[in-house]
Amino acid sequence: MKSHLLSAKERDVGLLVREGEESLELDGEQAAGMETFLSKAWFSGTHACHAQMLARIREQAAALARIAVPPLDADFKVLMDESADTLNLTVTETVSMWELLGRACIAGIHTCRAEITALLLETRSDVGEEALRWLEERGS
């Protein structure tokens, strides 16, 4: 699962870095800084999703509200502030950067959800056996 997550991060964040470099016309140091913040936003999304999935599995609606939302808000606010201070962009460029941070976070959420769902399917069902049973039922 770890290698799948890291591959997805490289894909998702890489696309956003290239988009940000082009649209914001960043120098090398700013681009490296932006990549760091986008990676942090992506991981923030995966952490929030992980907490949500655990709460759903445990069927604790109160824990879902308490665990998933506040840490994501707090983490994301810190990323926004740090990126604005570190990258030294204009106001318009900063807003564009924040939009990229949001997209990185959402990509992390989607990746985490897909990986956990796949893991649950693997551990709780035998897809091959189900497919064979389905084929046998169709054949009779």
Side-chain angles (χ1 to χ4, degrees):
M1 183 170 156
K2 181 179 177 181
S3 64
H4 291 248
L5 283 171
L6 292 177
S7 294
K9 181 197 114 8
E10 294 303 318
R11 179 197 64 226
D12 296 340
V13 171
L15 291 170
L16 293 169
V17 167
R18 285 190 292 283
E19 183 180 332
E21 286 174 335
E22 291 172 11
S23 66
L24 300 174
E25 299 177 3
L26 302 177
D27 64 29
E29 190 175 314
Q30 287 176 311
M34 179 183 64
E35 183 172 5
T36 299
F37 289 112
L38 291 173
S39 292
K40 287 180 180 181
W42 190 89
F43 279 114
S44 180
T46 62
H47 292 301
C49 176
H50 183 255
Q52 286 179 332
M53 296 294 276
L54 286 177
R56 285 182 182 167
I57 289 169
R58 295 178 184 142
E59 298 180 358
Q60 297 175 354
L64 175 63
R66 212 174 44 253
I67 293 172
V69 179
L72 179 61
D73 289 348
D75 288 347
F76 202 74
K77 173 86 169 84
V78 169
L79 284 175
M80 290 174 71
D81 291 344
E82 285 180 8
S83 68
D85 292 341
T86 303
L87 298 176
N88 194 26
L89 303 172
T90 66
V91 172
T92 303
E93 291 170 336
T94 299
V95 170
S96 295
M97 174 61 197
W98 290 346
E99 191 261 335
L100 291 171
L101 284 175
R103 289 172 49 198
C105 183
I106 290 167
I109 289 169
H110 289 299
T111 297
C112 182
R113 186 175 295 140
E115 289 299 319
I116 289 175
T117 300
L119 183 62
L120 286 172
L121 287 173
E122 282 179 27
T123 60
R124 296 191 178 192
S125 66
D126 186 347
V127 176
E129 182 181 315
E130 290 177 27
L132 183 59
R133 187 173 52 244
W134 180 80
L135 289 171
E136 288 172 351
E137 289 172 1
R138 293 280 189 196
S140 0

